[in-house]
Amino acid sequence: MPASVRAQDPFCEVQVNRVTIATQTVMSGLATALEYEGTTRSAGWRMAHEPNRAVILADPSSHLHALGTYHIARAAVTPTCGDQGARRRAAWRSASVAMTVGLAKEVADGYYNGFSPTDLAVDALGAGYAVAQAYVPVLEKVTPSFSVAPRAVFRRRGPRGALMDYSQQTAWLSTNVHDLLPRSAAKVWPSPVRLSVGRRAFGGGTPSEYVLGLDLDAERLPGNHPAWMRVKKALHNLRLPGPALVYTGNKTSLIGLYW
């Protein structure tokens, strides 16, 4: 169907994915509860003390804020067809949902660590990137992704370890190189193989790790069973273990299986 016809289709609109919003909200609530575990609730609501916002932006927790709002903004509202206008409207509405969830978390934070305008700004960066993908098609090929080493789960009590042990987490930008290469060059680059650039921030004055590695885009693996398709879609947002070149301080090393 021509694009001009699709644009006039009354069903070519945006659709709120209530299940996704409910799921993401519950997951955000659980993550917040794990974060507050062992934290004393303040007597009253307060703003966070943020004398150096650059330090906060570089902190590993900022990775989670940006990644979380990005992925909510990618899933909360979807267009019902391929029309570009519907895609963009969906992106803006979905970003609004993501920011609402982020704002609710910060309001709750006011009773614990303090309401952080900087964290909310980082949330806006994540949601903004999701909107930018609707306007700049090439950005669709670059996915913010995440990985966590299994030892984080074993060292620090399961889910809390995975969430709070920043030294075992890496934030990535994973690129589908195959789609960006000229047709002749794309023939030699397997479609599922992504090139990912990542950062693992340890905090406390310890130099961060900067990582360049290969991984598989699970969404492009074979198989089309509905259950498997859902698994692949979820794994698309994760950087699966693979070979990587790691730079820390003045040292560079090659790791065969980097988490």
Side-chain angles (χ1 to χ4, degrees):
M1 185 183 294
S4 59
V5 176
R6 287 201 307 270
Q8 298 170 10
D9 187 338
F11 298 104
C12 190
E13 257 301 330
V14 298
Q15 187 174 46
V16 177
N17 191 332
R18 291 179 174 82
V19 173
T20 297
I21 293 175
T23 302
Q24 295 283 9
T25 302
V26 169
M27 290 180 65
S28 297
L30 290 174
T32 302
L34 288 171
E35 180 183 349
Y36 291 163
E37 185 181 336
T39 303
T40 303
R41 191 177 189 275
S42 301
W45 194 88
R46 62 188 176 86
M47 297 290 290
H49 180 58
E50 299 180 334
N52 191 336
R53 293 187 175 181
V55 172
I56 297 172
L57 291 172
D59 191 86
S61 65
S62 292
H63 297 165
L64 299 183
H65 275 271
L67 284 164
T69 49
Y70 166 77
H71 290 300
I72 294 175
R74 284 287 296 180
V77 183
T78 57
T80 59
C81 74
D83 173 66
Q84 188 181 58
R87 166 78 176 90
R88 291 175 178 176
R89 290 192 297 276
W92 280 108
R93 293 188 186 183
S94 209
S96 298
V97 171
M99 290 304 298
T100 299
V101 173
L103 178 61
K105 181 189 180 301
E106 286 307 317
V107 170
D109 252 3
Y111 291 100
Y112 291 88
N113 302 315
F115 181 99
S116 171
T118 306
D119 282 349
L120 205 57
V122 173
D123 289 342
L125 288 175
Y129 185 73
V131 172
Q133 287 180 317
Y135 287 85
V136 185
V138 70
L139 295 180
E140 292 277 4
K141 311 302 180 184
V142 183
T143 303
S145 58
F146 178 76
S147 67
V148 57
R151 55 183 171 271
V153 177
F154 301 125
R155 284 181 179 178
R156 295 190 58 180
R157 298 179 304 168
R160 179 172 171 79
L163 179 69
M164 302 302 296
D165 192 351
Y166 299 136
S167 65
Q168 306 302 327
Q169 301 171 357
T170 308
W172 304 83
L173 288 176
S174 297
T175 304
N176 291 105
V177 177
H178 176 274
D179 297 354
L180 300 178
L181 293 172
R183 184 173 300 178
S184 57
K187 294 178 181 178
V188 299
W189 187 284
S191 176
V193 177
R194 298 190 294 192
L195 181 66
S196 297
V197 178
R199 175 178 180 256
R200 177 173 290 182
F202 299 99
T206 302
S208 299
E209 284 184 353
Y210 295 91
V211 194
L212 179 67
L214 299 175
D215 70 293
L216 290 176
D217 182 356
E219 201 166 34
R220 300 195 177 191
L221 295 176
N224 56 8
H225 187 279
W228 176 230
M229 294 292 287
R230 290 192 177 190
V231 171
K232 290 196 297 181
K233 186 175 180 62
L235 291 178
H236 170 73
N237 301 324
L238 299 178
R239 192 269 180 182
L240 300 179
L245 193 65
V246 181
Y247 174 80
T248 307
N250 295 318
K251 180 183 177 183
T252 302
S253 56
L254 179 64
I255 297 178
L257 196 64
Y258 185 91
W259 289 86

